[in-house]
Amino acid sequence: MVTKEEDFSKFQRPAIAVDVVVFTIKDGDLRVGLIEREEEPFLGKHALPGRFVRYDEPIEETAKQALKLKANINPHVVFLEQLYTVGQDLRRDTRIRTISIVYYGLVESNKIDFQPGQKFHWHSIYNLPVLAFDHKNIIEYAIKRLRKKVIESDFAFQLMPEEFTLTELQRAYEIILNEKQDKRNFRKKLFELKVVKALHKKKMEGAHRPAELFSFVRRK
Amino acid sequence: MVTKEEDFSKFQRPAIAVDVVVFTIKDGDLRVGLIEREEEPFLGKHALPGRFVRYDEPIEETAKQALKLKANINPHVVFLEQLYTVGQDLRRDTRIRTISIVYYGLVESNKIDFQPGQKFHWHSIYNLPVLAFDHKNIIEYAIKRLRKKVIESDFAFQLMPEEFTLTELQRAYEIILNEKQDKRNFRKKLFELKVVKALHKKKMEGAHRPAELFSFVRRK
DNA sequence: TCAAAAGTGTTCTACCTACACCCATGT
DNA sequence: ACATGGGTGTAGGTAGAACACTTTTGA
């Protein structure tokens, strides 16, 4: 890291935390997971699940622990990726100088079971509550990056169940990007990119032609 | 940051540093700035300029101080952008658990004056010395991201002088991307994007037709 | 007048966009 | 037989790729 040896104990270290912007699709809406704070600062405001990085904890593990302990989410069902590190504003946490490594997480909403009375809830990105710290900015940035990622990669699959119909997948894209997609073009592109494979199973549902089920093909 | 108040003093904090991958174009080559280490660990090996984040120092300021103090570069002439935060491997720094926020910096090589005997030097990315810590990986990742950025934005301007000819700019792109560009297509694209403006000045040099000088137009 | 780099246009191709009709099912 | 969402093909436009010759200067 540093070229010249420095006396590490001579100066106070900033605290370092991980915050996670967890996204899901639920009730036709893109939602983020937030926790209602139970103490100062920002008592009663909503915040991203986060956690200080322990001395012997890899940062992705910190992100997973935050999900588990703060949001009661099993980290194994969440797709996690590092986003950005916030450390410009010295007073973003009023208690202590804190640098925060932000991750985003994608999860299929019905992989999560809620317990009654828990403090973690989903909020539509179009109707966010008042947020603690600089978490509003962080969420907005995460949404921008999520959309970019979705356009240029397989990203949206992380929000889908194992088996899905193409219409369901298209809906997910539309919800994330907040714009209608053309059915024929959408499918053409999927097949060109070879990211889905037909399972030769039908999803029977409703008074109409049954839809073919597909699953995601991981790309090399 | 964190939802539930925690006793910050209860656990030891990891150290947090900033490392900067400084790029320049020199002698027809893409180069990174490295420092030869003067102590253990990795004595004699080369490393990126870096610095621990002070308690009251914004992280970008840490990056700038690293450039100034370790590389003797005036931070004002460097374009800086955050890249990624490395904190998975607990032993990447053998002395202490260190999380490192990596920035890349772009600088025009002749904005920098070297002092005799200094430890900071430019190294071609095609001929890197043995590197300390995990700095080889970091540099490789930075190159990948630099190329991506150059393709989809104005990035390369950060490596150019105030006034330049289109051939010089094209050379910069070719050096970064390591592939030839077509002169006509290159210019067509530049004009379509309206990122350069003609200065109606000529650069007379050599036994051939003089080239028009251009400067960069910052986009809205 | 020659060498050396500057400057300039057109054609072909591939991909993206827009768009409308038939199909299989439940009621 | 009708309502509902599932499934498919084609034509036009646009942006990127390939490609060669004329111009201006210094020696």
Side-chain angles (χ1 to χ4, degrees), chain B residues 126-160:
Chain B
Y126 302 108
N127 188 23
L128 290 174
V130 178
L131 288 156
F133 307 109
D134 50 1
H135 288 187
K136 190 168 201 302
N137 291 338
I138 291 176
I139 292 171
E140 278 166 8
Y141 182 65
I143 293 168
K144 229 169 79 184
R145 283 278 296 266
L146 171 67
R147 288 186 170 144
K148 205 174 157 194
K149 272 273 186 182
V150 161
I151 290 169
E152 60 196 34
S153 80
D154 301 346
F155 228 58
F157 285 101
Q158 306 295 347
L159 291 161
M160 301 301 294

Side-chain angles (χ1 to χ4, degrees), chain B:
Chain B
M1 275 61 359
V2 288
T3 292
K4 197 166 196 128
E5 186 80 23
E6 281 156 356
D7 186 352
F8 312 119
S9 54
K10 251 212 227 119
F11 54 89
Q12 192 190 0
R13 294 181 196 161
I16 179 140
V18 170
D19 287 310
V20 187
V21 186
V22 210
F23 288 107
T24 200
I25 288 176
K26 211 182 168 184
D27 304 330
D29 236 354
L30 183 60
R31 294 174 185 247
V32 243
L34 298 174
I35 296 171
E36 207 182 320
R37 286 182 59 81
E38 292 177 296
E39 64 243 300
E40 296 293 348
F42 298 102
L43 172 68
K45 303 286 183 288
H46 289 75
L48 297 168
R51 168 184 167 90
F52 285 104
V53 179
R54 285 7 186 213
Y55 191 83
D56 55 358
E57 192 174 63
I59 53 176
E60 193 167 316
E61 184 58 29
T62 308
K64 288 178 179 169
Q65 289 298 320
L67 289 176
K68 196 161 156 182
L69 302 174
K70 300 287 171 61
N72 196 36
I73 292 176
N74 176 358
H76 294 112
V77 302
V78 181
F79 171 82
L80 272 178
E81 198 162 278
Q82 192 187 301
L83 182 62
Y84 198 74
T85 297
V86 185
Q88 233 10 50
D89 181 358
L90 300 178
R91 311 194 176 277
R92 46 187 294 277
D93 188 325
T94 49
R95 299 163 291 182
I96 191 177
R97 162 72 193 290
T98 305
I99 291 167
S100 174
I101 307 170
V102 182
Y103 276 75
Y104 44 48
L106 303 187
V107 67
E108 196 213 325
S109 67
N110 59 31
K111 282 209 182 121
I112 291 177
D113 33 58
F114 279 98
Q115 301 187 340
Q118 78 174 49
K119 289 286 175 184
F120 178 86
H121 295 287
W122 297 115
H123 296 260
S124 163
I125 62 159
Y126 302 108
N127 188 23
L128 290 174
V130 178
L131 288 156
F133 307 109
D134 50 1
H135 288 187
K136 190 168 201 302
N137 291 338
I138 291 176
I139 292 171
E140 278 166 8
Y141 182 65
I143 293 168
K144 229 169 79 184
R145 283 278 296 266
L146 171 67
R147 288 186 170 144
K148 205 174 157 194
K149 272 273 186 182
V150 161
I151 290 169
E152 60 196 34
S153 80
D154 301 346
F155 228 58
F157 285 101
Q158 306 295 347
L159 291 161
M160 301 301 294
E162 203 48 50
E163 306 187 343
F164 49 84
T165 70
L166 296 186
T167 302
E168 286 163 359
L169 181 59
Q170 185 179 334
R171 280 296 293 141
Y173 272 84
E174 289 173 345
I175 288 165
I176 296 167
L177 300 176
N178 200 24
E179 69 184 26
K180 267 220 135 1
Q181 303 291 115
D182 178 90
K183 194 180 2 172
R184 284 158 291 190
N185 295 337
F186 183 77
R187 288 168 186 231
K188 200 192 309 169
K189 198 166 169 183
L190 283 177
F191 296 138
E192 272 166 12
L193 296 175
K194 297 192 174 64
V195 287
V196 288
K197 68 161 182 282
L199 298 174
H200 306 293
K201 289 196 276 184
K202 301 282 179 196
K203 177 167 189 173
M204 311 286 260
E205 178 190 66
H208 55 83
R209 177 171 177 174
E212 177 93 41
L213 281 166
F214 288 80
S215 72
F216 171 41
V217 178
R218 216 156 291 279
R219 281 199 283 173
K220 52 265 141 171

Side-chain angles (χ1 to χ4, degrees), chain A residues 21 32 34 48 128 131 135-143:
Chain A
V21 186
V32 240
L34 299 173
L48 297 168
L128 290 174
L131 289 156
H135 288 188
K136 190 167 199 304
N137 291 337
I138 291 175
I139 292 171
E140 277 166 10
Y141 182 66
I143 293 168

